[in-house]
């Protein structure tokens, strides 16, 4: 009888442990699903803040393909006044809610022009002010890169400033062959060197020109061979005019990924100048 009771107790304890384990798995599954739902809602919220494509004096379109996890890409554009059109694209380090929140904060600051003593028609001044406003130590060590440009319609002048971000791609004539002109700048990401001043660069814009602004998720793609593609590999297809479209760029990215979800957000803005 003693041995029988011991065995019954042993198997009962094992069965209870099994029930407790299964319940823990169910609760963990519910928690993961709730977290996934929250991240999905956050991603939808970020996407809801993105501007609509427009043909108001300029033709502007974009593509945004979110990564498998919540990223920190954000972009926007609007007329600053009757003569100046601003466009920007930023990319926050890392993934998750923290990166998304910082991206939304920077985007809302630019949308509301909430930087004091800043001429938003001067890209260098805007990025310089962002550098002193969004310090990395105030945001958990997270940082962002940005390309900010302003087009003055009356003089057909495009001005820009960059901070650790990929260069804009400019084509005088999108229908002609040849490489893109890289609208780059050498400034580091904002928030690290607080007393840094960012320069404004500019060029004349030809009628019918096209500009692409994008995040590094467009070209830093890991293929099925495990190799990450380079920026030069990304630029090569642009030498052919038919590849100078949003659809062609996204198609290139999907081919490299072979149908797998993207590791990082893919963000692209295309501007066609009259």
């Amino acid at each position: 009888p003693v041995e029988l009771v011991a065995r019954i107790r042993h198997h009962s304890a094992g069965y209870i442990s099994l029930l407790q384990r299964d319940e823990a798995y169910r609760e963990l599954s519910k928690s993961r699903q709730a977290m996934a739902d929250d991240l999905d809602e956050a991603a939808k919220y970020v996407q809801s803040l993105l501007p609509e494509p427009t043909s108001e004096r300029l033709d502007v379109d974009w593509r945004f393909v979110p990564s498998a996890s919540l990223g920190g890409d954000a972009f926007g554009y609007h007329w600053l006044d009757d003569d100046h059109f601003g466009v920007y694209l930023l990319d926050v380090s890392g993934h998750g809610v923290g990166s998304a929140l910082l991206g939304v904060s920077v985007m809302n600051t630019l949308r509301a022009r909430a930087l004091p003593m800043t001429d938003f028609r001067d890209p260098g001044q805007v990025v310089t002010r962002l550098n002193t406003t969004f310090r990395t130590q105030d945001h958990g060590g997270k940082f962002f890169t940005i390309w900010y440009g302003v087009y003055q319609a009356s003089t057909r002048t495009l001005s820009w400033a960059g901070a650790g971000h990929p260069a804009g791609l400019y084509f005088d004539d999108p229908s002609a062959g040849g490489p893109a002109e890289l609208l780059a700048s050498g400034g580091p990401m904002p928030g690290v060197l607080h007393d840094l001043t960012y320069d404004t660069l500019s060029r004349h814009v030809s009628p019918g020109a096209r500009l692409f602004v994008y995040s590094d998720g467009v070209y830093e793609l890991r293929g099925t061979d495990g190799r990450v593609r380079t920026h030069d590999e990304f630029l090569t297809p642009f030498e052919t005019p038919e590849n100078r479209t949003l659809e062609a760029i996204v198609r290139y990215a999907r081919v490299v990924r072979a149908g797998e979800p993207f590791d990082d957000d893919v963000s692209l803005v295309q501007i066609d100048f009259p």
Side-chain angles (χ1 to χ4, degrees), residues 212-234:
F212 289 102
V213 187
Y214 53 97
S215 65
D216 59 11
V218 175
Y219 65 87
E220 288 185 348
L221 303 164
R222 186 178 301 278
T224 54
D225 55 1
R227 185 176 64 85
V228 178
R229 301 305 187 261
T230 66
H231 191 250
D232 286 342
E233 289 177 289
F234 165 70

Side-chain angles (χ1 to χ4, degrees), residues 43-64:
K44 290 178 180 178
Y45 171 69
V46 172
Q47 293 182 54
S48 72
L49 298 178
L50 300 178
E52 293 290 333
T54 180
S55 57
E56 181 186 354
R57 300 173 62 188
L58 297 172
D59 288 325
V60 187
D61 199 359
W62 54 265
R63 296 292 182 273
F64 175 72

Side-chain angles (χ1 to χ4, degrees), residues 8-256:
I8 291 174
R9 286 177 175 173
H10 171 73
H11 290 294
S12 296
Y15 180 65
I16 292 173
S17 296
L18 179 63
L19 293 177
Q20 292 173 337
R21 185 200 65 184
D22 290 345
E23 179 64 22
Y25 279 144
R26 282 192 293 270
E27 291 300 319
L28 179 61
S29 178
K30 290 179 182 179
S31 176
R32 286 179 173 174
Q33 184 60 51
M35 184 178 297
D37 291 342
D38 288 343
L39 289 175
D40 185 58
E41 285 297 315
K44 290 178 180 178
Y45 171 69
V46 172
Q47 293 182 54
S48 72
L49 298 178
L50 300 178
E52 293 290 333
T54 180
S55 57
E56 181 186 354
R57 300 173 62 188
L58 297 172
D59 288 325
V60 187
D61 199 359
W62 54 265
R63 296 292 182 273
F64 175 72
V65 185
S67 60
S69 57
L70 185 61
D73 281 13
F75 56 85
Y77 45 81
H78 53 268
W79 285 97
L80 301 170
D81 55 35
D82 290 339
D83 196 30
H84 295 83
F85 181 83
V87 57
Y88 57 87
L89 194 150
L90 62 100
D91 182 5
V92 180
S93 61
H95 295 87
V97 174
S99 296
L101 288 175
L102 179 55
V104 169
S105 179
V106 178
M107 179 170 61
N108 285 336
T109 297
L110 294 172
R111 288 173 62 183
R113 303 184 218 179
L115 295 172
M117 298 180 294
T118 303
D119 183 357
F120 281 83
R121 298 169 298 181
D122 183 343
Q125 191 176 137
V126 171
V127 178
T128 298
R129 187 65 65 183
L130 289 173
N131 179 57
T132 59
T133 302
F134 292 92
R135 300 181 299 176
T136 56
Q137 64 263 37
D138 297 333
H139 298 278
K142 289 190 176 297
F143 62 87
F144 64 93
T145 66
I146 188 169
W147 193 96
Y148 184 96
V150 174
Y151 173 66
Q152 185 176 14
S154 61
T155 62
R156 303 197 63 86
T157 301
L158 176 65
S159 303
W160 72 91
H165 201 81
L169 302 183
Y170 173 84
F171 298 93
D172 248 348
D173 182 1
S175 63
E181 179 181 340
L182 301 182
L183 305 186
S185 61
M189 70 283 290
V192 179
L193 303 174
H194 304 153
D195 57 349
L196 190 65
T197 298
Y198 290 80
D199 296 327
T200 296
L201 305 175
S202 63
R203 73 158 346 268
H204 179 74
V205 175
S206 300
R210 176 171 293 172
L211 172 69
F212 289 102
V213 187
Y214 53 97
S215 65
D216 59 11
V218 175
Y219 65 87
E220 288 185 348
L221 303 164
R222 186 178 301 278
T224 54
D225 55 1
R227 185 176 64 85
V228 178
R229 301 305 187 261
T230 66
H231 191 250
D232 286 342
E233 289 177 289
F234 165 70
L235 292 177
T236 299
F238 280 102
E239 297 184 7
T240 305
E242 52 264 31
N243 290 328
R244 298 171 181 173
T245 66
L246 295 172
E247 291 76 14
I249 300 171
V250 174
R251 185 167 59 248
Y252 161 83
R254 292 192 186 281
V255 168
V256 173

